[in-house]
Amino acid sequence: FSDWRGSTLREELRRQGIPYIEADRCMKEYEEKSNVPAPQLYPAGHPSPELNEAIADCILREMKS
């Protein structure tokens, strides 16, 4: 979540010492390197299949490191 729910969730995860991966960071990284206009990455306000794949790849890389 990129609204108050996300910040509340991250705060609680930190408080409990639970590791997490921020998909927002993954999405921003992909936006910067893909040169695809944001409206194409977020049709109807949700990540496109292309962006979802990039998020999954990023999460997998983070989990492996």
Side-chain angles (χ1 to χ4, degrees):
F1 303 105
S2 53
D3 58 11
W4 64 270
R5 296 172 294 181
S7 59
T8 302
L9 179 59
R10 285 188 296 274
E11 182 179 311
E12 185 62 22
L13 291 170
R14 275 193 230 75
R15 188 181 72 73
Q16 293 189 34
I18 299 170
Y20 62 94
I21 298 168
E22 291 193 54
D24 286 349
R25 183 184 52 76
C26 296
M27 293 177 353
K28 287 176 188 168
E29 285 176 6
Y30 185 75
E31 286 176 47
E32 291 172 3
K33 76 177 186 181
S34 72
N35 295 319
V36 176
Q40 287 180 290
L41 293 174
Y42 299 95
H46 296 280
S48 67
E50 174 186 3
L51 183 54
N52 278 327
E53 186 174 329
I55 293 167
D57 289 343
C58 177
I59 290 171
L60 185 58
R61 279 194 314 276
E62 291 288 323
M63 291 177 72
K64 288 181 176 181
S65 64

